[in-house]
Amino acid sequence: MSVTGMEQRFPTVAEWKVIVAEFQKPSLWRAVVQLVDTLVPYVVLWAGIYWALQVSWWLVVPLALMAGALLVRAFIIFHDCGHGSFFKSNRANAVVGFVTGMLTFTPYYQWRWEHSLHHATTGNLDKRGIGDVWTMTVQEYLEASRWKRFAYKLARNPVVLFVIAPFVLFVILQRIPRKGADARERNSVWHMNAALLGLAAVMMWIYGPVNYLIVQGIVTGVSGACGVWLFYIQHQFEDAYWEVHEEWDYTAAALQGSSYYKLPRVLQWLSGNIGFHHIHHLSSRIPNYYLERCHYSHPVFQQVKPITIRMSLKSLAFRLWDEQHKKLVGYKRMREVRREREKGRS
């Protein structure tokens, strides 16, 4: 992700604000087109599932998998509404955010509040723990208790992280108001829970309780796993950016600590261009349909090295932040440090 000498070529805040200004203006027609080409196929897929249930589960499962993949794109619309970037109108963002939040099991205002904290603290070693993947430094891991190290390894296990965690997050945790939330955030959770109960009741009446739960489980599992993977690779790569609060820099955290995940066109479309995450973290006011255009608008963004799918798989081996070498490392590096310290004591 990093580029030699890139730190010296970061634009100042005043400079990058000028560069991105033209892309921060929402387009009504682009937003409407994206809503149509996302939600209409999603509804059609569910209609196809209803028909397929009368024929064979061999037809149902592929349709449910496609619906799950398409739901990732719906979540990006929800995500943009939360940033106030999808539409110019705050009311339109709130309405569409609630609807897409209902499809993705996510309360609009509570998520918006938590995600704003994520943007304000990404890459800040002293402000970890909100809206991020649990990340310890090598030093912290070596000093942790045996149970904490066990919990950390379990939390970073790919099966837990990409299969179990998405269900826990979207089905359970999003049903509970978070500590520190104000009245609007708490109410958004209760309103979403009520809406989801109503939606589930209608869907169970149409599809049958067992059929609906199985299909929704597949859809949620696919979208959740893809969503968590995207979130993971956006900030968990070898040359990511982490600094203590006194040395933390917003621009560096965006351009060096948020990845440019270069995906094939179909996957870029399904993921709502969120692979241009360095642009998104630089300015969350840019709607997803302008992220790619902004990336190619100025040479400074071309300095950000893309991460391909093959390269991204290496990130599964990264577990800890090495403060000495300023990069994410695996447990092998931790064991090396531990041996070095043991030799120094002997």
Side-chain angles (χ1 to χ4, degrees), residues 134 136 141 143-155:
W134 186 11
M136 295 177 71
Y141 186 87
E143 294 176 352
S145 67
R146 179 180 298 179
W147 285 110
K148 188 170 184 179
R149 293 197 301 268
F150 171 77
Y152 186 74
K153 283 188 174 182
L154 184 64

Side-chain angles (χ1 to χ4, degrees), residues 1-41:
M1 177 68 181
S2 63
V3 177
T4 302
M6 184 175 176
E7 290 80 3
Q8 283 70 45
R9 296 199 294 272
F10 279 150
T12 65
V13 174
E15 288 172 341
W16 68 250
K17 281 188 174 182
V18 172
I19 296 171
V20 305
E22 65 176 294
F23 303 103
Q24 294 177 322
K25 302 172 184 177
S27 167
L28 178 60
W29 78 268
R30 288 181 184 276
V32 171
V33 167
Q34 193 168 81
L35 274 175
V36 171
D37 68 23
T38 302
L39 299 187
V40 171

